Amino acid sequence: MAENPYLSNTANLQKYLQLPQKGQVIAEYVWIDANGGTRSKCKTLKKVPESVKDLSEWNFDGSSTGQAPGDNSDVYLRPVAMYPDPFRLGDNILVMCETWMSDGKPNAYNYRHDAASLMEKYAKHEFWFGLEQEYTLLDTQGWPYGWPKNGFPAPQGPYYCGNGTGKVFCRDLVEAHYKACLYAGIEISGTNAEVMPAQWEYQVGPCTGIDLGDQLWMSRFLLHRIGEEFGVKVTFHPKPIPGDWNGAGLHSNVSTAAMRADGGMKAIEEAMESLSKRHKEHMKVYGEGNEARMTGAHETASFDKFTWGIANRGASVRVNAQCAEEGKGYFEDRRPASNADPYQITGMIVETLCGKIDGHDMFAKTQEADAVEDHMVVPVAKP
């Protein structure tokens, strides 16, 4: 084991990773738990699967993840997407799964099912999504990585897209995550250092329909796994440090075939009208603790009031200036917090713009289950 219990001994691991597997494949099944985190377990396959349809259902103890009671604890994993494994390489795979109960109903924390049904129903609109995932890197004590142990760094200004010692922290982890996503087939489109030191962003998309949610969740899983190797914690908290420091969001870019066509600004304006009518519902879905981030300062809008504008980063929704000039394109919903569920975000947007469908209510689904704390919460304070 490594001297630091939080640090993986990847150098020693390498010789074992190179051992032949004699035609067998390791499949790591990944799912979302009750607290908006990822869990995983591995199984051996006797041959290489050609598609996700070749993968069998599996199960886990839902009473240990807050997803089921002890007297009915089996939760079933249904594979929905698979990706090349950037850790084990070869034919090994990562498998994104939905969670289901023994009665044939989706688990209370399975938000993908409703979102996927909406995407399928309204596939003719050709929704494209691109999400900008911000996150903050912490040391093992929960303080932003690279920050002075008995104080704070210099004020914000030199860190955004910065270069140089003291301006950026953990670039090696960020580069590792970038390459891992590319290897896994994640449509990662870029990355950059953010306004607060130790805060970064990467973008996934554009992806069609439910693929965006699958890929973003898998990219989060990869980020946490890579953090293990560097002894760094990853937090998606929307306001990890109080005061004059930027929060973290999950800006969501949305486009439909009508918005991308000539004269698409009309469709964008119609979308703004629809979004304004369900602002309160969206804010209940757009992440926990978002009130602390959306204060009207630090490039955010008011939590309580819906606004939109062209090139306005202080609005709830921003329309890119180039899109306005061309009269078509997409819009950026800047309200979601960094810890929001991409299935809930994209599902809610489709439901708001296109309408509910029989047997599915995205907003009602998100309000059914309570978040479950699976770790001790340490208040953020100066060490």
Side-chain angles (χ1 to χ4, degrees):
M1 298 295 290
E3 264 185 48
N4 181 348
Y6 297 99
L7 189 65
S8 296
N9 197 330
T10 51
N12 282 355
L13 178 62
Q14 287 306 309
K15 59 184 178 183
Y16 300 103
L17 290 176
Q18 295 170 11
L19 294 175
Q21 295 179 194
K22 301 181 179 179
Q24 299 181 101
V25 173
I26 299 173
E28 185 159 2
Y29 280 43
V30 180
W31 72 94
I32 303 155
D33 66 16
N35 200 43
T38 54
R39 307 277 183 133
S40 67
K41 56 189 293 192
C42 300
K43 70 186 303 182
T44 303
L45 308 179
K46 295 302 181 181
K47 62 179 182 179
V48 179
E50 295 183 4
S51 75
V52 72
K53 294 179 181 179
D54 296 331
L55 299 170
S56 62
E57 286 191 8
W58 206 8
N59 61 74
F60 66 94
D61 172 14
S63 68
S64 296
T65 65
Q67 290 172 277
D71 60 358
N72 185 25
S73 62
D74 285 353
V75 179
Y76 293 86
L77 295 170
R78 293 185 182 178
V80 294
M82 66 181 190
Y83 307 89
D85 186 339
F87 305 110
R88 301 181 180 94
L89 306 179
D91 292 324
N92 302 302
I93 56 174
L94 303 175
V95 183
M96 195 70 220
C97 301
E98 282 192 16
T99 51
W100 287 74
M101 300 304 292
S102 58
D103 61 2
K105 295 180 180 179
N107 182 263
Y109 299 92
N110 178 357
Y111 303 111
R112 184 189 187 278
H113 176 63
D114 288 274
S117 297
L118 282 160
M119 305 294 181
E120 183 178 358
K121 174 69 174 179
Y122 295 116
K124 65 181 181 181
H125 294 289
E126 299 179 23
F127 273 92
W128 289 3
F129 297 103
L131 269 59
E132 306 168 24
Q133 178 69 73
E134 295 180 335
Y135 61 95
T136 306
L137 299 172
L138 309 176
D139 61 26
T140 55
Q141 303 304 309
W143 195 238
Y145 201 92
W147 285 33
K149 296 301 180 185
N150 296 305
F152 296 85
Q156 296 181 155
Y159 310 112
Y160 173 68
C161 296
N163 295 278
T165 301
K167 294 181 181 179
V168 294
F169 303 98
C170 285
R171 190 186 293 276
D172 48 0
L173 183 154
V174 172
E175 290 290 321
H177 178 249
Y178 202 158
K179 292 295 289 288
C181 284
L182 290 172
Y183 180 89
I186 303 295
E187 296 290 338
I188 184 169
S189 50
T191 187
N192 59 270
E194 267 302 332
V195 178
M196 188 181 85
Q199 188 182 79
W200 290 81
E201 174 191 299
Y202 65 93
Q203 305 88 32
V204 174
C207 300
T208 57
I210 202 65
D211 287 348
L212 186 283
D214 293 340
Q215 294 195 27
L216 191 70
W217 270 115
M218 189 56 73
S219 74
R220 286 178 173 179
F221 168 78
L222 293 175
L223 186 58
H224 283 298
R225 279 287 303 274
I226 292 168
E228 294 175 16
E229 300 193 13
F230 289 84
V232 175
K233 293 183 179 181
V234 179
T235 179
F236 296 111
H237 193 288
K239 189 70 174 179
I241 302 295
D244 195 18
W245 302 99
N246 271 39
L250 185 57
H251 299 159
S252 302
N253 299 282
V254 184
S255 182
T256 63
M259 294 177 193
R260 295 187 294 274
D262 290 341
M265 270 303 295
K266 181 180 179 181
I268 292 174
E269 290 170 358
E270 290 172 351
M272 296 304 101
E273 180 66 21
S274 297
L275 289 172
S276 68
K277 293 176 180 178
R278 293 190 84 196
H279 178 67
K280 290 184 178 179
E281 288 93 336
H282 278 257
M283 296 313 298
K284 289 181 179 179
V285 172
Y286 278 2
E288 186 178 355
N290 208 11
E291 300 91 337
R293 165 182 164 262
M294 293 193 64
T295 61
H298 303 109
E299 300 180 65
T300 67
S302 166
F303 182 88
D304 300 313
K305 183 181 178 182
F306 180 87
T307 57
W308 75 278
I310 296 170
N312 184 359
R313 283 180 164 76
S316 307
V317 179
R318 178 180 72 97
V319 175
N320 183 283
Q322 183 177 351
C323 292
E325 291 173 5
E326 296 178 355
K328 60 183 178 180
Y330 69 96
F331 66 84
E332 177 193 39
D333 192 340
R334 298 177 59 81
R335 296 172 293 174
S338 50
N339 60 1
D341 183 335
Y343 294 139
Q344 295 183 31
I345 295 171
T346 56
M348 275 291 290
I349 288 173
V350 172
E351 184 177 84
T352 296
L353 300 190
C354 300
K356 296 180 181 179
I357 61 177
D358 291 342
H360 300 275
D361 187 323
M362 195 72 214
F363 175 70
K365 174 68 176 179
T366 65
Q367 304 305 299
E368 287 177 2
D370 296 324
V372 176
E373 287 293 349
D374 60 357
H375 60 280
M376 182 175 67
V377 178
V378 180
V380 175
K382 179 177 174 181

